[in-house]
Amino acid sequence: MPLAFLRLDLEYAKRGYARYAAYPAATLAGLFTNTVFGFMRAFILLALFEGGGEIGGYDRAATVTYAWLTQGLAATIFIWGWQDLGLRIRTGDIATDLIRPVHPLRAGLAFDVGRSLCHAIFRGVPPVVIGSLVFGITTPSGPAVWLAFGLSCGLAIVVSYAFRAIYNVASFWLLDWRGTTILAITAANFFSGFVIPVAFFPLPLEAIARATPFPAMLQVPVDIFVGRVAGAEVVAALASQLAWAILLLLAATWLFDRGVRRLVVQGG
Amino acid sequence: MALVDVQDLRKEFVVRRGSGLRRERVVVRAVDGITFAIESGSIVGYIGPNGAGKSTTVKMLTGILVPSGGRVSVAGFVPSKQRTKLAARIGVMFGQRVQLWWDLPLIESFELLRHIYRVPAERFRQNLDMLGAALELGPFLRTPVRQLSLGQRIRGELTAAMLHEPDILFLDEPTIGLDVVARQRVRELLLRANRERGLTVLLTSHDLVDIERLCSRILVIDHGHLVYDGGLETLKERYGTERVLVVDLEEPRPPLDVEGARVIKVDGPRQWIAFERERTNAARLTAQVAALAPLRDLTLQEPDIEDVVRRIYAEGATGSAGRSSTA
């Protein structure tokens, strides 16, 4: 029964993959951009380690790895602006999603998992491979860490989707959705550890970041990959990601359902 | 119980007008107390001018708009409360919205819908074969939706709405963008589904042939009120009060001045004189014309449904078309 239930999600995911695979030029452009920024960020971050040493548990090798890994993961997990759902709400196209016997957020999540797979293959892995060829990166110490990293990436995608869904759902209430979106993206970029590792933050700021769901989108899988988080800490990290995933999905669903209640579809 | 049961249905929107301190809230009654029932197996036309409340009604019937008042039941469900359960029983096509997945080939949308509605594979194959043949989808089944012409897309949308064999179909402009042959195919398909498995259809259309060929019953809505509910013939009598007497005179004349009527067109010796059924009649008018100028021939034109519906769309059912039953 659970398998039959997941069948629909699998079908959505397949179409999510196909939808993004249908635009190879956009994917190629994205890959190119990711790679160029990978070089820039790697060189900038390396400058911090001129005199050797460690910052927040990151040494030189871990930092280079961080730079390339985040470059690959950012597209896969999609921490950047996403407006697909908000646009459907604002144009009223959401009406066509509501007449389906499937919750639009469930369909959206499954679709996004398919998208992330497409992005992982074509925009995620290549920059990391290029980075490892040019700079050399540290890789997980064993299959258990690889597995934990994979799980962590999966959870990061769910957390990211739920967060994106929340600021998109705001379009039910807000006419000025642009401000909210910019704020949400900026917060996600900074606190997720995409700009610099969360461990590099001054202490109060790091404490704030750790209290938000953002590190669960990016920093956690990276920390597991480079071994900064190891052993029992990995389990705790995965558990906190899972908790954020559930919490944010519930929040997004609650907000979405509230929004639908007061839905006014324009025009027609 | 009727398949669709609507009682005293209301929908109010609050619109804010003006700006700053002078802002005021205005309540617009898009649907203002509508009552009707649709029995299973009927095809009902839902017509009225733009902004009359047609779409608002359909949105409340499909559960994507919560009524401000009144009661709705569709297939035994309360749409706004049981939207997801109802969704499996209905098919919906919004003329100006894209329900197919824009970036995917048409067939991919259909395959996904098969899983969404849990249509058994064999059943799905049969339905797609039938719909594909009836609507000639073959040539563009593997084309991404974004590359389809409007007519092709509309045929795809209609297929998408019918693949899961819904009990009731809500169609908003189902033949928009189609050529004459395709229109006829769509009508035949709907009639066949209605005949063979008792499909119930509620449709809005600006195409009067659609209305005339398909609908056994017509609901006319204006300013949120149901102003007519009945057959086509009665509708003509009620709104098509203006008839036209076409007279051929012995020689060309300036437009004749006849009491209770007006000349709407002059072409050489032929003049078209429109008159209201209530103000005069053809016999009296003929006598008046004969007294003014020698007559050679005459014919009387009854209003056709096209005129009637065009007038309802253009002027509003309660406008110059006459009777006001809304009060």
Side-chain angles (χ1 to χ4, degrees), chain A residues 1 5 7-8 11-12 15 18-19 22-23 88 91-93 95-96 98-102 104 111 260-261 263-268, chain B residues 13 55 59 62 64-66 80 83-84 87-88 92 94 96-99 101 103-104 108 111-118 146 172:
Chain A
M1 186 55 201
F5 182 78
R7 180 65 199 270
L8 176 59
E11 295 296 330
Y12 267 111
R15 271 77 192 184
R19 182 239 176 272
Y23 294 100
R88 294 187 74 75
T91 58
D93 280 345
T96 65
L98 293 176
I99 52 153
R100 304 273 177 237
V102 180
F111 203 79
V260 168
R261 285 300 298 179
L263 175 67
V264 175
V265 181
Q266 301 292 334
Chain B
F13 294 105
S55 294
K59 281 171 188 157
T62 50
I64 53 179
L65 212 49
V66 181
S80 63
R83 195 186 67 236
T84 313
V92 186
F94 297 110
Q96 70 286 59
R97 299 219 184 274
V98 184
Q99 295 174 71
W101 281 264
D103 301 291
L104 299 175
E108 287 294 314
E111 286 283 347
L112 191 48
L113 288 168
R114 167 165 90 80
H115 292 282
I116 291 173
Y117 291 97
R118 296 164 187 258
R146 68 187 134 83
D172 187 11

Side-chain angles (χ1 to χ4, degrees), chain A residues 43-186:
Chain A
F43 283 125
I44 291 168
L45 286 167
L46 276 178
L48 297 172
F49 292 91
E50 292 268 282
E54 251 189 41
I55 305 173
Y58 276 81
D59 60 9
R60 193 175 189 280
T63 305
V64 170
T65 308
Y66 155 86
W68 285 101
L69 204 57
T70 48
Q71 216 46 46
L73 281 176
T76 306
I77 286 160
F78 219 94
I79 61 162
W80 296 310
W82 181 78
Q83 277 297 324
D84 293 19
L85 179 62
L87 195 65
R88 294 187 74 75
I89 292 169
R90 291 192 294 279
T91 58
D93 280 345
I94 194 72
T96 65
D97 301 326
L98 293 176
I99 52 153
R100 304 273 177 237
V102 180
H103 197 288
L105 290 187
R106 175 185 168 191
L109 174 60
F111 203 79
D112 198 61
V113 168
R115 173 209 58 74
S116 70
L117 188 67
C118 178
H119 280 159
I121 294 170
F122 297 105
R123 291 179 64 180
V125 175
V128 179
V129 170
I130 292 167
S132 73
L133 291 176
V134 177
F135 293 83
I137 63 170
T138 56
T139 49
S141 54
V145 181
W146 275 109
L147 183 69
F149 171 70
L151 271 174
S152 182
C153 286
L155 289 167
I157 288 160
V158 180
V159 174
S160 158
Y161 170 77
F163 175 69
R164 282 179 276 138
I166 287 172
Y167 70 75
N168 273 259
V169 166
S171 285
F172 275 121
W173 293 273
L174 302 176
L175 283 176
D176 177 27
W177 51 274
R178 285 186 186 84
T180 328
T181 305
I182 291 168
L183 203 67
I185 297 165
T186 309

Side-chain angles (χ1 to χ4, degrees), chain B residues 11-116:
Chain B
K11 182 67 189 179
E12 292 171 355
F13 294 105
V14 176
V15 182
R16 289 184 172 78
R17 287 193 188 140
S19 58
L21 290 172
R22 303 199 53 167
R23 264 165 79 100
E24 51 174 349
R25 291 168 84 239
V26 179
V27 176
V28 178
R29 293 196 175 91
V31 172
D32 196 6
I34 283 182
T35 300
F36 64 84
I38 297 175
E39 296 300 327
S40 187
S42 47
I43 303 185
V44 178
Y46 197 46
I47 63 176
N50 290 334
K54 299 190 296 289
S55 294
T56 305
T57 310
V58 171
K59 281 171 188 157
M60 287 193 281
L61 291 177
T62 50
I64 53 179
L65 212 49
V66 181
S68 313
R71 287 195 301 138
V72 192
S73 152
V74 178
F77 296 107
V78 177
S80 63
K81 296 207 172 97
Q82 298 165 292
R83 195 186 67 236
T84 313
K85 280 181 187 155
L86 176 65
R89 305 275 303 274
I90 62 173
V92 186
M93 185 189 142
F94 297 110
Q96 70 286 59
R97 299 219 184 274
V98 184
Q99 295 174 71
L100 302 161
W101 281 264
W102 191 244
D103 301 291
L104 299 175
L106 192 53
I107 185 75
E108 287 294 314
S109 283
F110 297 157
E111 286 283 347
L112 191 48
L113 288 168
R114 167 165 90 80
H115 292 282
I116 291 173

Side-chain angles (χ1 to χ4, degrees), chain B residues 27 42 63 90 105 131 137 157 171 229 250 292 306-307 314 316 321:
Chain B
V27 176
S42 47
I90 62 173
L131 292 163
L137 302 176
E157 300 274 4
L171 301 175
D229 178 356
E250 288 287 353
L292 288 169
E306 185 151 350
D307 293 324

